[in-house]
Amino acid sequence: MGIGVAVGAAGLAFGTAAVAAGLSPAQSVFMSLFMFTGASQFALVGVVAGGGSLVAGAAGALLLGARNTLYGLRLADVLGWRGARRALAAHGVIDETTAVTLVQPDRESARTAFVTTYAVLGSFWVATTLVGALATERVSDIGAFGLDAVGPAIFLALLWPRLREGGGRTWLIAGAGAGLALAATPLLPAGVPVLLAASAALIALAGPSADPPAPTAAEPASGSGAASREARP
């Protein structure tokens, strides 16, 4: 709930940026409702605002959103949905829903976390996009609210427990990914540094891991599912 409200509030910044780039409030809300991936939306309006073509903006948005495909592959196993529910869930596969879902201890909790984050964040994102779009003429500098810091702060909070509990290899992968992203950002188009940073995970394939595997939503922390349920108070 907290992540949904906090990140959803950043829709104010997108609504303002979209209208400033020449989109109408209706077009801005349409993007938030159907694209529903903030980084790609900002990339698209950024290109348009800078005088670039819609085709170039869409290409950058697709490149930046390509990581959601990898998230979907992981969440398909964790959530275990089929048919129409899987198709609907695919629309909600973004950074925040993935991060919150994967730290859950079992499938039931993972599904609850995914649906809650998706519903709350999606609702706030669309609503605040509308507010930001309509208020553009009345707010001279939306950046003064510091909403651009909300996303990074939340992801650092989500990442920190894994770094704290992991060993040297976990820190090595995290450091390599951050270093690649920082080095590539001034040189490569938006979206490419994010994908390039993911290659740091290949370090995990270099020999056996000395770190204990972290429990995921698809695997109980210890023992079988039945044994784990019996051990709970």
Side-chain angles (χ1 to χ4, degrees):
M1 291 287 290
I3 289 175
V5 172
V7 179
L12 287 169
F14 173 73
T16 300
V19 171
L23 275 68
S24 69
Q27 291 172 324
S28 305
V29 171
F30 181 88
M31 285 183 65
S32 286
L33 182 61
F34 289 96
M35 285 184 66
F36 187 54
T37 172
S40 294
Q41 292 178 223
F42 276 110
L44 193 154
V45 299
V47 171
V48 174
S53 68
L54 186 60
V55 173
L62 286 171
L63 181 61
L64 190 57
R67 68 191 187 283
N68 293 339
T69 303
L70 303 179
Y71 297 161
L73 294 174
R74 181 71 181 95
L75 290 183
D77 291 334
V78 173
L79 298 174
W81 284 326
R82 297 290 184 271
R85 286 192 296 178
R86 171 178 281 193
L88 178 60
H91 179 259
V93 176
I94 57 174
D95 297 325
E96 290 81 2
T97 55
T98 301
V100 174
T101 299
L102 292 182
V103 298
Q104 303 306 316
D106 53 62
R107 175 165 287 177
E108 181 180 357
S109 298
R111 288 177 171 179
T112 300
F114 179 87
V115 171
T116 302
T117 308
Y118 178 23
V120 175
L121 200 161
S123 299
F124 271 80
W125 180 254
V126 173
T128 55
T129 294
L130 177 60
V131 173
L134 295 177
T136 300
E137 296 181 355
R138 300 184 180 183
V139 180
S140 58
D141 183 16
I142 194 70
F145 291 102
L147 295 176
D148 55 333
V150 172
I154 287 176
F155 277 103
L156 181 60
L158 290 170
L159 176 64
W160 182 250
R162 289 184 178 265
L163 292 176
R164 184 179 57 190
E165 297 169 4
R169 178 166 297 189
T170 301
W171 280 95
L172 178 61
I173 293 173
L180 285 171
L182 289 173
T185 295
L187 306 175
L188 299 176
V192 176
V194 177
L195 299 178
L196 183 62
S199 65
L202 295 176
I203 297 174
L205 302 178
S209 175
D211 302 334
T216 66
E219 300 174 355
S222 62
S224 67
S228 299
R229 288 191 294 269
E230 291 173 0
R232 295 174 184 163

